[in-house]
Amino acid sequence: MTEFRIESKSNPVIKMAKKLKEKKYRNESRRFLVEGFRFLEEALKSGKKIDKIFYVPEKEEDFRKYIEPNLKGEEIYSVPEALLKELSSTVHPQGVIGVVHMDESSDNHGADPFRNSMYLYLDGLQDPGNLGTIIRSAHAAEAGGILLGKNTVDPYSDKVLRSSMGSIFHLPLYRDGDMMLKKLQNQGYKLAVTSLDATRSIYEEDLAQNLVLVIGNEGSGVTKEIQDNAEMLLKIPMPGGAESLNAAVAASVILFEKVRQTQEKSL
């Protein structure tokens, strides 16, 4: 393992990495920042391509424990704590930050992108915490991937990454969600949306079939175009009388009802 030392924030390597705190540069370079020893360890173990890793010498023990055993030729930089703060989005940096490649295979994931029976289409979802939670739930429920519709929050922002708890490294994200949606519909996947007009609950509908579950914007909901094209209207029973559920909670409830139905059918 070759290690380099950087002392100045004027160093071009630091300047490049710092730009990745902005969405514009993340999209241009197809790279993003991952902070934290366990989080970066998860990225390494999942096989993600990582260019550079920056860490502070005070955290060398954690570096040797979590990072070093998983290295595959990445550039390693030792930096002062003040310099790591330049790259961090947290008040108290965790001691290590990596530059990770976005998964370019996500738009054509694997030999058979239609092998899973559930995908999610995010129709303008805006809250980072909601997106991170949906990614985590979708990973746990073994969904096929997340389709990012127009005006959906950046999945590589720091808040989304942290709330996904590492699941973002294990679930395909389709940046051109509209194109992937058409492909899935052409393969016979039904478009399912939650609706006040639904006459059947998620416990009455057949969710074990191939579905694309649409999760809309937190304020305005699903767009009219998507709503008009929906082939399945769903409702979640709420006997307590609440007006609605949080978007991520609703998505999780439906995902795991699908898991239950699918497992029940396989018995």
Side-chain angles (χ1 to χ4, degrees):
M1 181 186 76
T2 304
E3 185 176 305
F4 306 94
R5 177 69 177 175
I6 297 179
E7 297 279 357
S8 171
K9 64 180 180 181
S10 299
N11 186 288
V13 174
I14 296 296
K15 284 185 173 181
M16 180 282 296
K18 189 175 180 180
K19 284 183 177 181
L20 296 178
K21 294 171 74 173
E22 299 178 33
K23 178 182 177 180
K24 173 185 175 182
Y25 292 105
R26 288 196 294 270
N27 288 338
E28 286 180 358
S29 67
R30 311 309 306 162
R31 290 165 174 77
F32 62 102
L33 298 176
V34 168
E35 181 172 357
F37 285 99
R38 298 305 292 269
F39 201 11
L40 191 56
E41 178 191 34
E42 188 73 17
L44 286 162
K45 285 184 174 180
S46 71
K48 296 302 179 191
K49 185 177 179 182
I50 298 175
D51 282 344
K52 301 170 178 63
I53 297 175
F54 306 90
Y55 81 100
V56 295
E58 291 82 359
K59 294 288 186 177
E60 185 171 355
E61 184 176 339
D62 287 334
F63 183 87
R64 305 302 172 198
K65 178 179 179 181
Y66 297 110
I67 306 301
E68 190 170 318
N70 301 294
L71 293 177
K72 305 177 187 69
E74 295 82 0
E75 295 176 14
I76 308 300
Y77 295 91
S78 170
V79 298
E81 187 174 349
L83 207 52
L84 197 72
K85 284 184 178 180
E86 294 283 324
L87 307 181
S88 175
S89 297
T90 61
V91 178
H92 303 291
Q94 299 176 48
V96 68
I97 294 175
V99 176
V100 183
H101 282 244
M102 294 182 187
D103 189 355
E104 296 299 333
S105 67
S106 288
D107 291 324
N108 186 22
H109 192 77
D112 181 11
F114 310 113
R115 67 195 183 283
N116 292 76
S117 63
M118 172 72 94
Y119 288 79
L120 290 90
Y121 177 88
L122 305 184
D123 188 18
L125 194 80
Q126 283 294 296
D127 184 84
N130 278 340
L131 177 51
T133 300
I134 288 172
I135 290 172
R136 191 176 179 185
S137 292
H139 173 214
E142 203 176 14
I146 304 272
L147 285 59
L148 304 171
K150 294 175 183 175
N151 302 316
T152 295
V153 63
D154 177 17
Y156 298 105
S157 70
D158 178 65
K159 289 182 179 179
V160 174
L161 292 172
R162 279 189 278 120
S163 58
S164 82
M165 296 294 289
S167 287
I168 196 166
F169 302 131
H170 301 279
L171 189 73
L173 300 180
Y174 296 90
R175 294 191 305 275
D176 193 341
D178 294 317
M179 180 183 293
M180 186 60 181
L181 179 60
K182 289 178 182 177
K183 289 181 180 179
L184 289 167
Q185 288 180 297
N186 289 338
Q187 291 290 322
Y189 283 72
K190 287 186 177 180
L191 198 61
V193 303
T194 56
S195 171
L196 296 174
D197 297 325
T199 58
R200 292 162 63 88
S201 82
I202 61 171
Y203 305 114
E204 298 169 308
E205 283 286 4
D206 177 13
L207 302 184
Q209 58 188 302
N210 290 348
L211 295 176
V212 177
L213 173 63
V214 179
I215 304 297
N217 177 273
E218 292 86 350
S220 56
V222 176
T223 57
K224 187 177 185 302
E225 180 183 359
I226 294 290
Q227 188 86 33
D228 290 344
N229 287 311
E231 298 160 276
M232 184 184 290
L233 301 182
L234 303 172
K235 67 177 180 180
I236 299 173
M238 292 185 287
E243 182 180 333
S244 63
L245 289 175
N246 167 278
V249 171
S252 300
V253 169
I254 298 170
L255 277 167
F256 285 99
E257 172 57 16
K258 177 176 174 59
V259 170
R260 186 194 68 79
Q261 290 188 22
T262 302
Q263 290 182 342
E264 193 173 76
K265 277 197 171 184
S266 67
L267 295 177

